Amino acid sequence: MLQQSVPSLYRQYLRQVKRLPHNHLRQFFQLKASDDFRALVTTPAHKIQIRDSKIRRIHKDLRRINLALTGRQDAFRYILDTAYGRRGKLRWELMEPLLTQAHPSSPPIKPLIRSVPNSRPPIYSPELTALLVNTASRTNKPLDAHQLKFPPTLSPRADPTSEEARLLGPLSKRLELNTRWRYFTREWKKVYPPLEIAVKSKAGSLSMSLSDVVDAGGRILQSQDQGLLSEVEDIVGPPTAGTPLTRRERLTGIEQSQGDLSKHRHPSRWLRRRYQELLGRLPVLILNQGHKRITYNVNLPHNSIAQIGRNTAHRRPALDVANLAWLERVDVLDKQKQKTQVKLSTLYNIEDAHRFAGNQVTPSTDHLGSNALPAKMKTIHCCNVKLINIQSKC
């Protein structure tokens, strides 16, 4: 009975996969379906629990695909993250080259325990270091450079010059080794793996071709030079798009000032927003040339949606004639507002001084005249008269 249901389930899975909106999604889940069903069929019949767990996993993936096709954002995000290596088996395959030493010919690190050759601490390659200390490639707060040399979870006793080591004795080398490896494993799993490495020339241009990366001495990733990142950027379109034409403008044949950008992006806005969010989880590892040693930094694509870079200049529309006219009008209004505020403040100061001078004169001293007023009050009274005369002339 179970063998009869597997072919129908496989056909149903492929029918739903063909409805996915992008060619890469369809190819990826077709390969995933073949691997999952092949593993299911080759499972021995007496291992019923293992077969049932694999069937439940396939049903769960099929339900996610159905929800993604109906417009569920969380389900479609799961589909994109799985297909582009943000989670699952592909994520490990993308990160595996970055977890080893950069050059095999370089001397190996000495083991912490001399009698145990396999007791070497973890290696932070230059690529992995750039991903760990940058906000664009982390799922949470980035690390500091000193935390890679001395993890915060490691006891201060690991440093022989510390006060704790002098009072309590040095830390066990086995405990230090295990702590360093636990911290290394925990932190690299919080990194978004890059799809491609870009080479930045001295002129500032970026190139992702395989030959340029090899010539610059960079690593070759599994998805290098496959065009996955450029395909996502083509679906999203430019970072800023012009305001769509109204019906009257379309009927009169008025051309859009910034060109027809709808031809260079996907027509579905919902789908574009999902891929823009995906670009915020696709960091680009940039190799800088022109240095004595290879250095790396991490950036996000310009047309991505992420918490960092949300209000940067490339997210704002280009300045056209209409925007320039509005900006000039705002400057004129600001200058007029400042002049009005200066006049009002001068008027309020005159009235306050007038009121202050009037409150100081009591009815019992009015018959004495201005000679009975104190010298300070005479000065205020003269200033008020001058200010009033100046205002009346203006």
Side-chain angles (χ1 to χ4, degrees), residues 142-183:
L143 301 179
D144 295 330
H146 66 85
Q147 293 178 342
L148 304 180
K149 298 179 180 179
F150 199 91
T153 56
L154 188 61
S155 174
R157 294 167 56 194
D159 184 9
T161 60
S162 63
E163 185 177 359
E164 288 82 355
R166 291 196 299 269
L167 294 176
L168 303 176
L171 187 68
S172 169
K173 293 297 182 181
R174 175 61 62 181
L175 181 58
E176 179 182 354
L177 179 67
N178 294 339
T179 304
R180 288 183 179 275
W181 273 106
R182 284 195 209 100
Y183 184 76

Side-chain angles (χ1 to χ4, degrees), residues 76-344:
F76 197 81
R77 175 175 176 171
Y78 186 91
I79 296 297
L80 290 177
D81 287 347
T82 305
Y84 286 91
R86 306 303 94 187
R87 64 189 310 139
K89 182 180 178 182
L90 182 58
R91 184 172 184 269
W92 161 252
E93 293 176 355
L94 292 174
M95 283 296 299
E96 186 178 10
L98 306 179
L99 302 179
T100 57
Q101 204 164 359
H103 300 285
S105 60
S106 58
I109 299 178
K110 296 181 180 180
L112 290 179
I113 304 173
R114 295 182 180 179
S115 59
V116 183
N118 295 329
S119 62
R120 293 183 175 88
I123 301 171
Y124 292 92
S125 62
E127 298 90 346
L128 182 60
T129 302
L131 294 172
L132 288 172
V133 301
N134 199 288
T135 310
S137 55
R138 291 274 295 180
T139 59
N140 56 356
K141 184 179 178 181
L143 301 179
D144 295 330
H146 66 85
Q147 293 178 342
L148 304 180
K149 298 179 180 179
F150 199 91
T153 56
L154 188 61
S155 174
R157 294 167 56 194
D159 184 9
T161 60
S162 63
E163 185 177 359
E164 288 82 355
R166 291 196 299 269
L167 294 176
L168 303 176
L171 187 68
S172 169
K173 293 297 182 181
R174 175 61 62 181
L175 181 58
E176 179 182 354
L177 179 67
N178 294 339
T179 304
R180 288 183 179 275
W181 273 106
R182 284 195 209 100
Y183 184 76
F184 174 80
T185 306
R186 187 186 71 184
E187 293 303 325
W188 79 254
K189 289 182 178 179
K190 300 176 184 178
V191 168
Y192 289 128
L195 291 178
E196 295 176 302
I197 294 179
V199 179
K200 186 175 183 180
S201 63
K202 296 180 181 179
S205 60
L206 295 178
S207 174
M208 295 185 182
S209 64
L210 187 62
S211 59
D212 292 340
V213 176
V214 173
D215 294 341
R219 299 198 191 202
I220 305 301
L221 301 181
Q222 184 180 3
S223 58
Q224 186 73 36
D225 208 12
Q226 293 184 7
L228 296 180
L229 188 62
S230 60
E231 289 179 0
V232 177
E233 291 179 341
D234 292 340
I235 293 175
V236 173
T240 58
T243 305
L245 298 177
T246 61
R247 181 175 177 272
R248 180 178 296 179
E249 290 173 342
R250 289 196 301 270
L251 292 176
T252 55
I254 298 176
E255 296 183 358
Q256 201 167 3
S257 60
Q258 296 181 0
D260 190 5
L261 297 177
S262 61
K263 299 179 181 179
H264 307 286
R265 61 182 184 181
H266 198 276
S268 173
R269 183 180 183 274
W270 185 89
L271 198 64
R272 292 199 307 268
R273 298 291 285 184
R274 305 290 78 78
Y275 275 94
Q276 275 185 297
E277 294 173 357
L278 174 65
L279 283 177
R281 303 187 296 274
L282 293 177
V284 180
L285 191 61
I286 300 176
L287 188 152
N288 299 312
Q289 286 185 334
H291 298 276
K292 295 182 179 179
R293 62 186 183 88
I294 297 177
T295 59
Y296 293 90
N297 60 340
V298 183
N299 286 333
L300 288 176
H302 291 322
N303 44 2
S304 64
I305 294 180
Q307 292 297 327
I308 60 171
R310 186 179 291 271
N311 297 320
T312 52
H314 66 267
R315 297 289 304 171
R316 300 170 187 170
L319 184 64
D320 54 2
V321 179
N323 292 331
L324 184 60
W326 277 109
L327 291 175
E328 292 176 353
R329 178 60 178 167
V330 169
D331 292 338
V332 172
L333 292 176
D334 288 342
K335 292 179 181 178
Q336 292 178 357
K337 187 177 180 180
Q338 292 177 0
K339 291 180 180 179
T340 305
Q341 289 178 353
V342 170
K343 291 182 179 179
L344 290 176

Side-chain angles (χ1 to χ4, degrees), residues 59-72:
H59 276 288
K60 191 174 182 180
D61 292 340
L62 184 58
R63 284 195 301 270
R64 284 201 180 99
I65 295 175
N66 292 332
L67 291 175
L69 292 174
T70 57
R72 282 280 297 271

Side-chain angles (χ1 to χ4, degrees), residues 3-22:
Q3 292 291 337
Q4 294 177 357
S5 63
V6 169
S8 62
L9 181 61
Y10 181 64
R11 288 192 296 269
Q12 182 184 3
Y13 195 105
L14 291 182
R15 282 196 299 269
Q16 295 301 103
V17 166
K18 290 179 181 179
R19 296 176 56 194
L20 291 173
H22 189 210

